[in-house]
Amino acid sequence: MAGGPPKALPSTGPHSLRDMPHPLAGSSSEEAVGGDSTPSPDLLMARSFGDKDLILPNGGTPAGTSSPASSSSLLNRLQLDDDIDGETRDLFVIVDDPKKHVCTMETYITYRITTKSTRVEFDLPEYSVRRRYQDFDWLRSKLEESQPTHLIPPLPEKFVVKGVVDRFSEEFVETRRKALDKFLKRITDHPVLSFNEHFNVFLTAKDLNAYKKQGIALLTRMGESVKHVTGGYKLRTRPLEFAAIGDYLDTFALKLGTIDRIAQRIIKEEIEYLVELREYGPVYSTWSTLEGELAEPLEGVSACIGNCSTALEELTDDMTEDFLPVLREYILYSDSMKSVLKKRDQVQAEYEAKLEAVALRKEDRPKVPADVEKCQDRMECFNADLKADMERWQNNKRQDFRQLLMGMADKNIQYYEKCLMAWESIIPLLQEKQEAK
């Protein structure tokens, strides 16, 4: 940051891990239909979402795992201050302790992931593993593959502009650690994703590479099948509620992108102003050595400018570390939601195409084939899961931005108060000099 050259992380060798079993308790389910907890389809605007989080149905995940009820335990009854709408938790995940690994072929950062749970899916009450960024990327890909009807939280971007940000600097690694921690916590808080078998493996497996190799062939086959889902059929019309979601996401991403660009320009100008202040203050101190009577007031002005510089540096750090990452996360979140919306449209298009094919048959009373009914079930599951995830996302967004904007207001007030106090502190000194004359 502007305070000096970035600090380097301490380097370490590979971190030894204990042998830990990693049971997979989730069972696959190809046909599941959302339950009665489906939100109302009257979504016309973003504000039509209610303030209460929905509990997603355990079904509605055609290629995913089932979601058993949480086990009864002491942790399950523990109420946390940051729980959303009174929810209790039985799964806790923390990302911390980043370490730099220098190998012959590459240099990379790993993060310690500590998991505590009372769920029956975990053999042990606590696990500790180390993961690098590409492991998080693997997890997200597997969640998208196995839970296509659900919104998967975004990861922070992997690449940075060369020469602009040092990806091994202490500041960058800490920002990424916070983002990865939030990524896992959002999955942990999700009533379906948190029971996914791949998430279980990610949190508990000693050797994650063994599981990565197992899924390559399956992922390739699924990728080929997705290309032929709709057979070239074009969706007639998107239902009104989902059209409203699409329009909202487009506008939201546009506005947030504009705010992000302007905020980055403001921070850049503040950093440039900070550089000028640091050159400006010492000039008064040097000048004071040449002025006998003005020496004390000039030194006071120099100290005042120094205090203002410190306050400005703290403000720009807060904006860079706390404000910009949240904006960027929600821009990526809107892209993730658009991706799920597009998948839902593909399932609807497939359903409509099959219905037309049945209608064209020359039968007096054509029987609806099982594959058409199955496709209809998939579409209904997609609709229920997408609307419930959108509701949850809106609730999280309101809380995140309320906290963000209040924090930003508070930080700016503190900055201006510090500057005001600095300048007010030299007024009595200047008044004394005037009275002495």
Side-chain angles (χ1 to χ4, degrees):
M1 196 53 212
K7 301 177 183 178
L9 285 178
S11 180
T12 181
H15 190 75
S16 60
L17 302 174
R18 296 177 299 164
D19 270 339
M20 301 182 205
H22 38 79
L24 302 180
S27 59
S28 298
S29 172
E30 284 191 45
E31 301 176 37
V33 183
D36 294 332
S37 57
T38 304
S40 171
D42 297 327
L43 172 63
L44 297 179
M45 298 177 62
R47 299 195 176 194
S48 64
F49 290 110
D51 289 332
K52 185 177 181 181
D53 282 349
L54 291 178
I55 302 302
L56 298 182
N58 289 339
T61 54
T65 58
S66 62
S67 303
S70 302
S71 58
S72 177
S73 63
L74 176 62
L75 283 178
N76 210 16
R77 297 190 296 270
L78 181 62
Q79 184 68 39
L80 300 183
D81 292 338
D82 59 345
D83 281 348
I84 300 175
D85 290 344
E87 292 181 354
T88 54
R89 301 177 183 176
D90 55 6
L91 178 62
F92 304 86
V93 180
I94 297 175
V95 179
D96 61 5
D97 191 27
K99 289 190 181 300
K100 182 178 180 181
H101 299 260
V102 180
C103 303
T104 305
M105 300 297 295
E106 62 175 337
T107 301
Y108 59 93
I109 304 294
T110 63
Y111 304 85
R112 181 178 62 188
I113 301 175
T114 304
T115 303
K116 296 182 180 181
S117 178
T118 57
R119 293 184 180 181
V120 295
E121 292 78 23
F122 297 89
D123 277 0
L124 300 176
E126 183 173 348
Y127 294 85
S128 179
V129 296
R130 296 200 74 85
R131 298 286 185 251
R132 56 189 298 186
Y133 180 89
Q134 66 181 27
D135 298 328
F136 287 85
D137 193 41
W138 171 86
L139 171 62
R140 191 177 190 282
S141 297
K142 299 303 289 185
L143 290 176
E144 282 189 327
E145 170 192 330
S146 58
Q147 313 277 184
T149 65
H150 287 289
L151 172 63
I152 312 301
L155 279 172
E157 294 98 333
K158 180 177 182 180
F159 300 102
V160 295
V161 180
K162 186 176 181 181
V164 176
V165 178
D166 177 11
R167 66 189 183 96
F168 296 117
S169 70
E170 191 176 67
E171 291 81 2
F172 177 80
V173 171
E174 175 59 17
T175 299
R176 170 161 288 183
R177 184 203 64 78
K178 291 179 180 178
L180 295 176
D181 183 74
K182 181 177 288 186
F183 169 73
L184 291 187
K185 280 182 169 56
R186 292 198 188 282
I187 297 175
T188 301
D189 292 340
H190 197 284
V192 176
L193 299 181
S194 63
F195 288 94
N196 185 276
E197 61 179 355
H198 302 295
F199 188 46
N200 186 303
V201 168
F202 178 85
L203 297 177
T204 62
K206 177 182 178 182
D207 182 13
L208 192 60
N209 290 326
Y211 292 89
K212 290 182 178 181
K213 294 176 181 178
Q214 293 176 6
I216 293 178
L218 175 62
L219 185 59
T220 302
R221 290 197 301 270
M222 289 193 63
E224 291 297 323
S225 63
V226 169
K227 296 179 182 178
H228 303 91
V229 167
T230 62
Y233 182 88
K234 186 177 181 181
L235 183 66
R236 290 179 184 173
T237 178
R238 181 183 282 173
L240 183 61
E241 56 190 327
F242 296 111
I245 291 177
D247 293 340
Y248 170 77
L249 291 173
D250 289 338
T251 304
F252 176 75
L254 179 64
K255 299 300 183 183
L256 218 58
T258 302
I259 293 175
D260 180 58
R261 289 191 298 271
I262 295 175
Q264 290 191 49
R265 288 203 303 267
I266 292 174
I267 292 175
K268 181 182 177 182
E269 292 174 359
E270 287 179 343
I271 293 175
E272 293 173 351
Y273 176 49
L274 180 60
V275 173
E276 297 292 341
L277 280 181
R278 286 175 172 166
E279 295 179 0
Y280 186 50
V283 173
Y284 285 92
S285 182
T286 305
W287 183 17
S288 67
T289 60
L290 304 176
E291 301 284 348
E293 295 183 358
L294 295 177
E296 194 173 356
L298 290 175
E299 283 289 354
V301 172
S302 178
C304 173
I305 295 175
N307 291 335
C308 292
S309 299
T310 302
L312 181 59
E313 182 178 7
E314 293 173 355
L315 178 64
T316 54
D317 285 345
D318 290 330
M319 292 287 287
T320 302
E321 297 172 6
D322 298 330
F323 184 73
L324 291 183
V326 175
L327 294 181
R328 192 59 200 159
E329 181 198 15
Y330 272 93
I331 292 174
L332 296 175
Y333 239 133
S334 65
D335 293 338
S336 298
M337 180 63 81
K338 290 178 185 178
S339 177
V340 179
L341 193 60
K342 185 176 180 180
K343 293 176 185 177
R344 193 220 70 88
D345 291 346
Q346 289 176 338
V347 174
Q348 180 184 340
E350 180 186 11
Y351 174 62
E352 291 178 354
K354 289 184 177 182
L355 276 182
E356 285 191 1
V358 172
L360 292 176
R361 294 178 184 175
K362 297 180 179 179
E363 300 179 11
D364 294 336
R365 300 180 65 182
K367 183 180 179 181
V368 179
D371 64 328
V372 177
E373 293 182 348
K374 183 178 179 180
C375 188
Q376 182 181 14
D377 290 343
R378 289 180 59 203
M379 185 178 67
E380 290 176 354
C381 290
F382 238 121
N383 292 346
D385 290 347
L386 179 57
K387 288 188 288 186
D389 276 8
M390 185 67 178
E391 177 104 7
R392 176 173 289 274
W393 180 73
Q394 287 282 8
N395 287 331
N396 289 336
K397 177 174 64 67
R398 281 192 290 269
Q399 294 182 21
D400 288 345
F401 275 90
R402 183 184 300 114
Q403 180 179 1
L404 176 73
L405 297 176
M406 289 179 65
M408 183 174 66
D410 187 54
K411 295 296 182 182
N412 275 275
I413 291 173
Q414 292 180 22
Y415 164 69
Y416 287 109
E417 284 180 341
K418 290 177 181 177
C419 291
L420 179 63
M421 291 175 60
W423 287 109
E424 285 182 338
S425 66
I426 66 170
I427 292 179
L429 181 62
L430 297 175
Q431 290 176 338
E432 289 178 2
K433 291 294 181 182
Q434 186 177 8
E435 290 174 358
K437 290 183 178 181

